Amino acid sequence: MAEVLATMVVGPLVSMVKEKASSYLLDQYKVMEGMDKQHEVLKRKLLHIMDVMIDAEEQAAAKREGAKAWLEKVRKVTYQANDVLDEFKYEALRRKAKEEGRYKDLSMDVIKLFPTHNRIIFRYRMANKLRMILQEIDDLIKEMNGFRFMFKPGSPEPINYLRQNNSVIVDPVNIAKESRAREMKDVVDRLLAQASSSDPTVIPVVGMGGLGKTTLAQLIYNDPEIKKHFQLRLWVCVSDNFEVDSVADRILKENGCKPTGCSALEKLQNAVSGKRYLLVLDDVWNRDEHKWERLKSYLQHGGSGSSVLTTTRDEAVAKLMMGKTEGAYKLESLGAYFIEKIIKTRAFSSKEEEWPGELVKMVGQVAKRCAGSPLAATALGSLLRTKTTEEEWKSVLRRSSIWDEENKILPVLKLSYNGLPSHMRQCFAFCAMFPKDYEIDVEMLIQLWMANGFILEKQGERPEITGKKIFNELKSRSFYQDLKSVPFEQKYYSFRQIKYRYCSKITCKIHDLMHDVAESSMGKECAAIATHPSQKKGSPAFQTLICDGHVKEDLKILSKYNSIRALKIKRGSFLRPKYLHHLRYLDLSESEIEALPEDISILYHLQTLHLSDCYYLQRLPKNLNYLTSLRQLYTHGCRKLKSMPGGLGHLTSLQTLTCFVAGTDSGCSNMRELQDLDLGGRLELRQLENITGANGAQAAGLGNKKKLTELELRWTHGDQEAQNNNHEEVVEGLKPHDGLKVLRIYSCGNSTFPTWMDMLNGMVELKLSGSKKLGKLPALWQLPALEILHLSGLESLHCLCSGAATAVTFQKLKVLFLSNMPKFEAWLDTDVVPGEETIFPEVEELVIGECGSLTALPKAASVITESSGGVDTKCRSAFPALWNMTLRSLNMFDRWEETG
């Protein structure tokens, strides 16, 4: 049977260019003056091409070589037209900036970096470019008529687009548990049976791609018996790279291991030494016996019963790792009952009584096409969700290449991809640039989509929201998987590492087979994320360059990539804005730059600027306010930054500003610049000692910023007596909206809490640090959503819960961290005793250190009765859910709990 090719993503590119050709900026600033006729012809001819795009893509997918070649030409010309229209738009933005008087601070050296500031030269140069493009489009239209491409309507938006009940309709974890219960028990029993084995036991799980090998391994890894049996559990996804040192290093880093040793392999040996461990090596392809034996030699030092569980599609890999021909666990295709169940949960609504009977009867036929693959069933079911008639379902089933013996389920996945609306196909195909098994930051992905023009602006909706909807729809169809929250940063202390669990970035991965689908659509246009960029001349299609490592080569080669829209490098000293006029996304995070070049202010298209953790960065460009397209500015972790440049209030498109530094220099921005900015997410305000009075603080308008979820207020750590003593007025003036989720306050000189604290009923995390005068806390137990409470450096605090008139219970608190509070001695300052409820019923992690006056944990309110051998034992605990506790440097501590 013929393979279904993933259709080339060309239609959305043409649509994007057509929208740019219609931009009001081009007319408003007369940048196409003298080219009006060509401008109108361009818009009209782009519409002609768009009309037949669906038919051309379908014919290319059916291996009509002429159609494929025509689409390639369209793609090439479209990218060229995109660049030309971007140059027109850039010139419009330049003229707009000049009209608004934002040229006066630019030096002539910077002005010379513009593509041109002479209107006559600009018109002559651009007219030539436009004329060449129109000629090529004319040729394409002649060929188009020769091929007799016909108009066809595009794929509709998914009917159930972002259904509110998605999480109710499909619970893949529960379906996997139910469908693979027998397999899970078999493997768990085999692992537990090896308890006395001195050598590590290797159990490979072998099966075709898309059968759910990784899902099965995850279920096993998290099984309660496995958790109890193994002292150490480790997981790493290997994929194509089985360089032994790299694998060892990843095992340690990705599982939070920090053993001693000179090399990664020595550290791995020390990490597992004497411990019964379970190591999961997911998605292994290595057939080099010497590499496996070398890694295995360092794993031999674990305790008795240690095991390695591996997943692979290759039986030869399984034999190599086991050292014998039999014994691998072969994962069979999923049974028809569960395949049908997956299809039904994906294709229909949550209410079974509403399922259309004529379509339910066809589910069995659909299931037969999925080769027992849950991944294929999910993809095909999601495709059918947009089909509401029997004829539409039959049309899908009639496609002869829905499944074939050679490629198994890959044609099904490509069919699901082809059924996406064209803009979604474009967004997913872009992900071919990520290597297989790459952990993708979802927020970054959406910003890259925006930078490349994949997200067209909708009336009344921010492109970030549109991008999130696209991602969620693709996720619901299993184009993305393994979503998880990853902390933005790890917090290290002298005796304990705390991971903040609320504010984190969301990451995802792409299944290998789905990655193959994306690659087959992008073809030669795809360039994967690299540590070292290619030195070769890039094509106009090459618009994104992400270098994850420290690049040693001189990045003057960027001048070859004059179409680049998105750039991530860690050597900002090589940045040359004069080559980057198209740039929308710039990530210099963790680089060693001390200052950005002033000419970055001519990047009028720039939407996202990442400067996080640039530890040596001392200042931002003084004309940063010229970047009026800027939507995201990440400045957290820039420890040496002393102020913000003036005029930030002009950045009216700004959605994210992660850190604002209040300065004292003339010409820097004050808090009033934040007043009209519609900021969301995370905001850190630093050097608050430089703010004068409540009015200066209120000018920030934090109470109106309803999209803020996380707020940090920082005074410079030091002698609070010597600082401007207006902390109370300032903190009162910085009152946030009542929906805030996270609040952290550092080194505030207040002796009392802000009066607005008790209205933060949605607050999940609260941290107070270094407030030396604070002697009394408000009724924190009355905050109904509080899960994480971190108190440190409160040198005057005596009691956690003051003035309680009734029983005290922190209903949802999960993490309690108390540190460096020498006067802290009491949990309650009254005689109020809790009733049947405990003070901390849900606390799982408890850390107390450097609290020299504390003598005991709080009085237990409940009595827990346990029966052992016919004898009842009573024990009391104020922390019945506790599973991790650290107590350190408690000089007066002499008993478990207070007496009473």
Side-chain angles (χ1 to χ4, degrees):
M1 295 183 183
E3 181 187 4
V4 176
L5 296 175
T7 56
M8 291 188 287
V9 187
V10 181
L13 293 174
V14 180
S15 178
M16 175 180 71
V17 171
K18 191 268 295 181
E19 292 294 325
K20 285 187 178 181
S22 304
S23 171
Y24 75 94
L25 278 173
L26 305 186
D27 297 325
Q28 182 177 352
Y29 291 96
K30 302 186 185 331
V31 292
M32 299 188 79
E33 188 176 14
M35 295 170 272
D36 301 314
K37 182 178 180 180
Q38 293 96 318
H39 187 196
E40 290 303 317
V41 170
L42 176 64
K43 289 190 285 188
R44 189 168 63 251
K45 290 186 175 180
L46 287 173
L47 288 172
H48 290 331
I49 291 177
M50 286 179 63
D51 279 347
V52 301
M53 190 57 61
I54 301 298
D55 189 27
E57 288 182 341
E58 288 182 358
Q59 292 196 36
K63 289 192 174 182
R64 187 178 178 186
E65 295 301 321
K68 287 175 65 177
W70 185 81
L71 281 174
E72 286 290 354
K73 290 181 183 178
V74 172
R75 192 204 301 264
K76 180 180 177 181
V77 174
T78 303
Y79 275 121
Q80 292 172 347
N82 187 42
D83 276 1
V84 168
L85 289 169
D86 255 5
E87 288 186 56
F88 279 121
K89 186 176 179 183
Y90 182 89
E91 174 64 9
L93 292 171
R94 185 191 72 81
R95 293 181 186 182
K96 181 174 184 281
K98 188 173 183 179
E99 184 181 277
E100 294 173 353
R102 289 187 280 114
Y103 251 33
K104 58 185 179 181
D105 295 328
L106 291 179
S107 68
M108 183 53 66
D109 288 339
V110 173
I111 291 175
K112 287 178 180 177
L113 296 178
F114 287 115
T116 181
H117 53 280
N118 183 304
R119 293 196 178 200
I120 296 174
I121 296 175
F122 175 80
R123 188 158 56 241
Y124 176 78
R125 182 168 60 86
M126 297 304 295
N128 284 336
K129 288 187 177 183
L130 189 58
R131 184 165 53 250
M132 292 173 63
I133 286 172
L134 285 172
Q135 180 59 54
E136 292 194 52
I137 291 178
D138 277 340
D139 294 341
L140 286 169
I141 290 178
K142 290 176 184 176
E143 291 184 24
M144 175 185 85
N145 294 331
F147 283 121
R148 296 184 180 180
F149 293 136
M150 300 174 61
F151 169 77
K152 287 188 177 182
S155 300
E157 286 287 304
I159 292 173
N160 294 311
Y161 190 71
L162 283 182
R163 291 177 294 180
Q164 294 297 314
N165 296 324
N166 258 352
S167 60
V168 177
I169 295 169
V170 180
D171 186 348
V173 173
N174 283 341
I175 292 178
K177 279 184 178 179
E178 183 184 2
S179 62
R180 294 298 190 188
R182 177 183 59 80
E183 292 90 339
M184 181 179 167
K185 184 178 185 305
D186 288 347
V187 179
V188 168
D189 287 347
R190 285 180 61 175
L191 289 169
L192 299 180
Q194 306 299 322
S196 60
S197 175
S198 56
D199 292 328
T201 300
V202 180
I203 302 179
V205 176
V206 185
M208 180 181 74
L211 283 185
K213 299 183 296 296
T214 298
T215 301
L216 176 62
Q218 289 170 339
L219 292 171
I220 294 165
Y221 187 81
N222 292 304
D223 180 77
E225 289 188 65
I226 292 294
K227 287 183 176 181
K228 183 178 178 180
H229 181 75
F230 291 99
Q231 297 169 281
L232 180 65
R233 293 177 305 132
L234 306 165
W235 180 293
V236 69
C237 185
V238 181
S239 290
D240 296 334
N241 181 15
F242 204 91
E243 293 304 319
V244 179
D245 294 278
S246 174
V247 171
D249 186 58
R250 287 183 55 213
I251 291 171
L252 296 168
K253 288 182 178 178
E254 294 178 20
N255 293 280
C257 301
K258 299 185 179 298
T260 57
C262 296
S263 68
L265 284 165
E266 286 182 7
K267 290 178 181 178
L268 178 60
Q269 176 178 310
N270 292 336
V272 302
S273 182
K275 297 177 182 176
R276 179 187 293 155
Y277 67 82
L278 171 64
L279 170 62
V280 177
L281 298 175
D282 186 32
D283 193 27
V284 180
W285 292 87
N286 170 60
R287 286 191 173 193
D288 188 330
E289 184 176 359
H290 296 293
K291 288 182 178 181
W292 166 237
E293 290 298 331
R294 182 167 176 241
L295 178 63
K296 187 178 177 182
S297 67
Y298 287 87
L299 294 171
Q300 296 280 7
H301 299 268
S304 296
S306 294
S307 298
V308 177
L309 180 65
T310 182
T311 69
T312 181
R313 295 186 216 172
D314 191 338
E315 290 190 13
V317 171
K319 293 175 183 177
L320 179 148
M321 297 186 73
M322 293 187 73
K324 55 185 179 181
T325 57
E326 298 297 331
Y329 193 89
K330 294 182 180 179
L331 191 63
E332 302 297 335
S333 299
L334 202 60
Y337 169 80
F338 289 109
I339 293 294
E340 291 183 18
K341 185 173 183 179
I342 293 171
I343 293 169
K344 289 174 182 176
T345 58
R346 290 287 177 170
F348 304 129
S349 69
S350 57
K351 297 179 180 179
E352 190 169 346
E353 61 271 18
E354 297 178 358
W355 292 359
E358 70 278 7
L359 299 184
V360 172
K361 292 176 183 177
M362 299 177 67
V363 168
Q365 300 175 56
V366 177
K368 292 177 182 178
R369 307 299 180 96
C370 294
S373 164
L375 179 65
T378 301
L380 202 51
S382 298
L383 170 64
L384 291 170
R385 186 175 66 189
T386 65
K387 317 295 182 185
T388 57
T389 67
E390 189 174 356
E391 184 52 42
E392 287 178 312
W393 277 49
K394 286 180 178 178
S395 176
V396 172
L397 289 172
R398 276 197 297 266
R399 301 187 189 184
S400 60
S401 52
I402 195 171
W403 179 86
D404 63 50
E405 189 62 35
E406 180 182 355
N407 294 291
K408 302 294 184 184
I409 67 167
L410 195 57
V412 175
L413 302 182
K414 290 181 178 179
L415 182 66
S416 178
Y417 168 81
N418 290 341
L420 291 171
S422 60
H423 66 285
M424 290 190 185
R425 280 191 282 124
Q426 184 181 43
C427 288
F428 179 70
F430 173 79
C431 296
M433 69 168 290
F434 297 104
K436 287 188 176 181
D437 196 49
Y438 188 87
E439 201 162 90
I440 304 170
D441 181 336
V442 173
E443 187 176 67
M444 178 191 77
L445 176 63
I446 293 172
Q447 290 166 2
L448 291 175
W449 286 345
M450 291 169 55
N452 282 274
F454 300 159
I455 300 176
L456 299 179
E457 293 187 17
K458 292 185 177 181
Q459 189 68 31
E461 183 172 87
R462 293 185 292 128
E464 293 88 351
I465 299 300
T466 307
K468 188 174 182 180
K469 288 180 178 179
I470 292 171
F471 175 83
N472 285 339
E473 180 62 32
L474 289 169
K475 178 193 68 175
S476 75
R477 296 172 179 231
S478 291
F479 284 90
Y480 300 108
Q481 61 181 26
D482 293 346
L483 265 72
K484 64 179 180 180
S485 296
V486 179
F488 281 121
E489 52 188 324
Q490 306 293 339
K491 307 289 185 177
Y492 292 98
Y493 301 94
S494 57
F495 61 94
R496 183 77 166 91
Q497 176 186 337
I498 291 290
K499 296 179 181 178
Y500 288 114
R501 296 184 291 187
Y502 176 72
C503 281
S504 58
K505 63 184 179 183
I506 305 299
T507 65
C508 68
K509 290 185 179 181
I510 302 174
H511 192 283
D512 282 0
L513 294 177
M514 286 296 191
H515 194 279
D516 292 341
V517 172
E519 281 188 329
S520 69
S521 179
M522 292 297 285
K524 296 178 181 178
E525 201 174 293
C526 175
I529 284 179
T531 302
H532 305 289
S534 169
Q535 301 282 333
K536 297 179 181 179
K537 172 70 176 176
S539 73
F542 188 55
Q543 299 191 349
T544 299
L545 175 61
I546 306 292
C547 299
D548 266 348
H550 286 276
V551 181
K552 297 179 181 179
E553 293 87 351
D554 188 336
L555 282 185
K556 289 178 182 177
I557 62 167
L558 283 176
S559 61
K560 299 177 182 179
Y561 301 123
N562 53 15
S563 297
I564 203 160
R565 264 71 175 174
L567 172 65
K568 178 180 180 181
I569 54 173
K570 293 192 177 182
R571 295 291 294 273
S573 58
F574 290 139
L575 195 64
R576 300 291 185 269
K578 68 179 180 179
Y579 299 127
L580 302 170
H581 293 108
H582 295 299
L583 203 62
R584 267 84 168 166
Y585 177 99
L586 177 59
D587 187 343
L588 300 172
S589 58
E590 300 181 24
S591 66
E592 298 178 357
I593 55 172
E594 296 181 5
L596 288 169
E598 286 295 330
D599 52 341
I600 200 173
S601 57
I602 69 172
L603 300 180
Y604 290 141
H605 284 308
L606 196 64
Q607 298 171 344
T608 300
L609 179 57
H610 277 269
L611 300 171
S612 57
D613 298 319
C614 292
Y615 302 124
Y616 303 101
L617 185 65
Q618 298 179 20
R619 67 182 185 278
L620 297 174
K622 64 180 179 181
N623 295 320
L624 190 73
N625 61 309
Y626 289 5
L627 303 179
T628 53
S629 297
L630 201 62
R631 305 183 67 82
Q632 285 88 25
L633 177 57
Y634 298 90
T635 49
H636 58 280
C638 300
R639 300 171 183 172
K640 293 191 176 183
L641 202 59
K642 298 301 181 185
S643 65
M644 308 299 285
L648 282 188
H650 291 295
L651 303 180
T652 54
S653 296
L654 205 62
Q655 309 288 314
T656 302
L657 174 62
T658 56
C659 182
F660 179 94
V661 184
T664 56
D665 301 338
S666 61
C668 69
S669 281
N670 57 34
M671 300 293 280
R672 190 171 299 280
E673 298 282 1
L674 301 179
Q675 189 171 61
D676 298 324
L677 299 182
D678 189 21
L679 300 177
R682 171 183 183 175
L683 175 61
E684 175 187 349
L685 300 177
R686 273 177 38 203
Q687 295 183 180
L688 291 175
E689 66 274 8
N690 293 331
I691 298 178
T692 305
N695 290 338
Q698 289 172 356
L702 295 187
N704 298 322
K705 302 189 189 310
K706 304 297 184 182
K707 297 171 186 173
L708 280 182
T709 57
E710 178 180 1
L711 178 64
E712 289 193 10
L713 306 178
R714 286 183 180 268
W715 284 257
T716 301
H717 180 69
D719 186 355
Q720 295 173 5
E721 294 292 343
Q723 292 179 2
N724 186 3
N725 195 19
N726 64 350
H727 292 208
E728 184 173 351
E729 293 180 1
V730 171
V731 77
E732 285 294 339
L734 293 173
K735 177 182 177 181
H737 69 99
D738 56 8
L740 195 72
K741 298 296 183 182
V742 176
L743 175 66
R744 303 188 184 110
I745 302 178
Y746 298 85
S747 303
C748 181
N750 267 18
S751 59
T752 59
F753 239 73
T755 57
W756 43 259
M757 176 64 70
D758 58 0
M759 63 92 177
L760 299 179
N761 290 326
M763 186 162 59
V764 176
E765 178 185 329
L766 172 64
K767 178 178 181 179
L768 302 173
S769 177
S771 298
K772 299 178 182 179
K773 297 180 183 179
L774 190 64
K776 185 177 180 180
L777 299 176
L780 298 179
W781 63 90
Q782 293 180 1
L783 297 174
L786 190 64
E787 294 184 13
I788 301 170
L789 177 59
H790 181 124
L791 307 175
S792 62
L794 309 185
E795 297 179 1
S796 302
L797 188 70
H798 292 264
C799 179
L800 183 66
C801 306
S802 303
T806 57
V808 173
T809 302
F810 289 82
Q811 290 287 355
K812 291 191 175 181
L813 197 67
K814 298 287 193 303
V815 178
L816 178 60
F817 185 102
L818 308 172
S819 173
N820 191 24
M821 297 189 291
K823 295 183 180 180
F824 176 60
E825 59 183 358
W827 299 89
L828 298 169
D829 67 350
T830 71
D831 293 330
V832 174
V833 178
E836 293 300 317
E837 296 183 355
T838 60
I839 301 180
F840 302 107
E842 300 295 330
V843 167
E844 299 171 351
E845 296 184 60
L846 174 65
V847 181
I848 308 176
E850 285 80 39
C851 296
S853 300
L854 188 65
T855 60
L857 295 181
K859 184 182 296 183
S862 60
V863 177
I864 303 171
T865 302
E866 296 181 349
S867 181
S868 178
V871 179
D872 289 342
T873 303
K874 294 184 178 181
C875 61
R876 299 160 62 87
S877 175
F879 301 95
L882 193 66
W883 61 266
N884 200 335
M885 179 173 69
T886 301
L887 305 177
R888 180 166 175 172
S889 299
L890 305 179
N891 299 333
M892 302 292 290
F893 197 84
D894 61 359
R895 59 185 180 276
W896 173 253
E897 64 168 4
E898 295 174 340
T899 57

